[in-house]
Amino acid sequence: MSAPNKSYDPVEVEALKPEEIDRARDEALAAIAAAGDLEALREVKVAHAGDRSPLALANREIGALPPQAKADAGKRVGQARGAVNKALKARQEELERERDERVLVEEAVDVTLPYDRVPSGARHPMTTLSERIEDIFVAMGYEVAEGPEAEAEWFNFDALNLDPDHPARSMQDTFFVRGQEDQGAAGSGSGDDSGVVLRTHTSPVQIRSLLARELPVYVICPGRVYRTDELDATHTPVFTQVELLAIDEGLTMADLKGTLDHMVGALFGEGLGTRLRPSYFPFTEPSAEMDMVCFVCRGKSVGDPANPCRTCGSEGWIELGGCGMVNPRVLTACGVDPERYSGFAFGFGIERMLMFRHNVEDMRDMVEGDARFTRPFGMEI
Ligand code: FA5
């Protein structure tokens, strides 16, 4: 602001000269009239009516005038600013009206047009559930590992301590892609002479992870697996498993149990326990079947025929899959010292989990690709 100006000389206060005020007002009015849309008008408003506009700056100079000149200059600046604000308001209303009319035309919906008869798709609940499971373990520091679906027999069986005469290797369960006699191609590390199968479980990713990664290893391996099962309400020849492997110094069965409890809590709600039942898998020792407390009846349906539970069949427990401490023979096959390292693994089928988690009664619904099945799970695309 200029210093007080005792003998008022308009030359000294350039911005307050009548012709300067008229010029600032006329420029503002011209810019307002020329603003073609609301965005342009916003810019005009800042330039001609904002805090740093010529008229606002002139207004600040009034204080520096001698008293006899203040009223005159104040009136002139006030009238100019009033005219600019009035023009801004009028143009704003005009442009808003134009915009509303344009939107009405551009966004008009012709309700007589035929609707899209092809239903929109939705993310498959199997995808959503798999990602949810991955997220739980990634949050705990696990990495996601993958392996091929056409897998060397050595990875799928031998390295996992499944002898050549193990029943799971028979034609009954396994899709053989190429026998040992046609060797020479795909996928084995130790098994250049190995046949190739469609992997029957995700456990071969355990072997691949142990061979490829530095210790300690904490991986989660989701993926598609194949078995020569007939498609029925509870089986499909192509299904999805999630495998978990943790190898470190000093891991025990208690770590396995704690990890399972955490997963069940994260997926089904806190306070649901798990239990381990002795079982046998060649690649874990000791091995167990893992069950969780039924998340619907929480075990209360057991021995209460008046309140049966469809989810657990009134057993109080739901079977999740297999688990155990990784067999030292598997560690040795992967070059890991079993004297120093130990660890646990578990694996389960996601289709079966989706069935009991969401009351899906028939597994065939999951594989038929009908959007009427997937849509109620949400996430339309
Ligand atoms: C295995 O495949 C072991 N690899 C799991 C494991 C991993 C044990 C690590 C120990 C350590 P199993 O054959 O039981 O285990 O299959 C695991 C799960 O796959 C079953 O619990 C079941 O949920 C699912 N499953 C098996 N066959 C089918 C099928 N035909 N259709 C859908 N799900 C199936």
Side-chain angles (χ1 to χ4, degrees):
M1 199 182 285
S2 315
N5 189 354
K6 283 202 187 80
S7 59
Y8 172 48
D9 177 357
V11 179
E12 282 181 37
V13 189
E14 184 73 18
L16 288 172
K17 282 175 157 180
E19 58 274 26
E20 282 303 315
I21 291 169
D22 289 350
R23 195 165 63 79
R25 181 201 58 206
D26 293 346
E27 278 177 11
L29 295 179
I32 291 166
D37 56 32
L38 288 164
E39 183 52 42
L41 189 66
R42 239 186 312 277
E43 283 168 22
V44 168
K45 189 172 179 183
V46 172
H48 293 278
D51 287 348
R52 308 217 41 86
S53 63
L55 286 175
L57 293 177
N59 194 48
R60 285 196 217 160
E61 295 293 337
I62 294 173
L65 297 179
Q68 65 273 26
K70 271 188 185 160
D72 194 28
K75 189 171 167 206
R76 199 172 301 114
V77 173
Q79 280 174 346
R81 295 181 92 191
V84 169
N85 286 335
K86 197 168 156 209
L88 271 172
K89 188 164 177 278
R91 186 71 183 136
Q92 172 93 14
E93 286 169 5
E94 194 177 2
L95 288 172
E96 279 174 355
R97 212 168 29 250
E98 278 174 28
R99 179 204 53 197
D100 292 348
E101 281 165 12
R102 194 173 57 248
V103 166
L104 278 179
V105 174
E106 283 173 2
E107 295 181 9
V109 177
D110 183 351
V111 290
T112 64
L113 283 175
Y115 67 92
D116 185 1
R117 282 168 213 269
V118 182
S120 58
R123 294 196 84 205
H124 199 283
M126 283 293 300
T127 314
T128 327
L129 183 54
S130 302
E131 286 178 1
R132 178 119 193 229
I133 295 166
E134 280 169 39
D135 286 348
I136 292 169
F137 289 102
V138 168
M140 291 168 75
Y142 283 73
E143 290 177 338
V144 178
E146 289 182 335
E149 291 174 22
E151 180 61 284
E153 263 185 81
W154 187 82
F155 283 105
N156 198 75
F157 296 128
D158 299 71
L160 287 163
N161 197 33
L162 277 120
D163 298 335
D165 53 356
H166 193 281
R169 279 171 101 129
S170 75
M171 296 300 284
Q172 218 182 353
D173 295 311
T174 309
F175 286 107
F176 286 88
V177 177
R178 196 174 53 236
Q180 284 189 16
E181 60 281 5
D182 323 313
Q183 32 164 296
S188 79
S190 289
D192 278 348
D193 57 344
S194 168
V196 176
V197 297
L198 292 183
R199 65 179 179 191
T200 55
H201 51 176
T202 40
S203 299
V205 189
Q206 288 187 25
I207 306 298
R208 288 186 174 275
S209 303
L210 283 176
L211 288 174
R213 290 164 189 258
E214 297 279 317
L215 289 162
V217 165
Y218 288 86
V219 287
I220 169 119
C221 329
R224 207 172 290 146
V225 302
Y226 302 81
R227 287 187 195 176
T228 55
D229 288 334
E230 293 290 329
L231 180 62
D232 63 24
T234 53
H235 294 82
T236 148
V238 184
F239 60 101
T240 320
Q241 283 191 346
V242 171
E243 190 87 10
L244 180 129
L245 173 71
I247 303 290
D248 205 339
E249 291 180 56
L251 290 182
T252 68
M253 207 91 178
D255 299 301
L256 164 62
K257 180 81 166 56
T259 308
L260 285 175
D261 285 350
H262 174 74
M263 178 186 78
V264 166
L267 278 171
F268 296 92
E270 291 303 323
L272 295 165
T274 57
R275 74 173 177 190
L276 303 178
R277 282 178 291 120
S279 182
Y280 173 74
F281 294 99
F283 35 93
T284 44
E285 182 56 39
S287 303
E289 293 293 335
M290 46 194 186
D291 300 339
M292 59 174 277
V293 170
C294 175
F295 61 98
V296 176
C297 72
R298 294 188 168 246
K300 295 204 180 82
S301 65
V302 182
D304 183 2
N307 294 300
C309 177
R310 285 174 63 199
T311 306
C312 65
S314 298
E315 301 217 338
W317 294 94
I318 298 171
E319 193 175 313
L320 283 178
C323 64
M325 299 305 289
V326 176
N327 192 321
R329 296 180 67 160
V330 172
L331 296 178
T332 305
C334 298
V336 176
D337 179 3
E339 296 294 322
R340 183 170 168 202
Y341 289 98
S342 60
F344 56 86
F346 62 75
F348 56 87
I350 309 187
E351 281 82 359
R352 298 251 172 101
M353 181 176 276
L354 188 70
M355 284 183 89
F356 61 74
R357 194 167 184 262
H358 294 278
N359 271 324
V360 179
E361 283 182 354
D362 197 324
M363 206 177 271
R364 283 167 289 203
D365 289 334
M366 295 180 204
V367 298
E368 278 166 358
D370 190 332
R372 285 173 298 181
F373 169 73
T374 49
R375 230 179 287 125
F377 290 90
M379 303 268 287
E380 294 209 5
I381 47 172

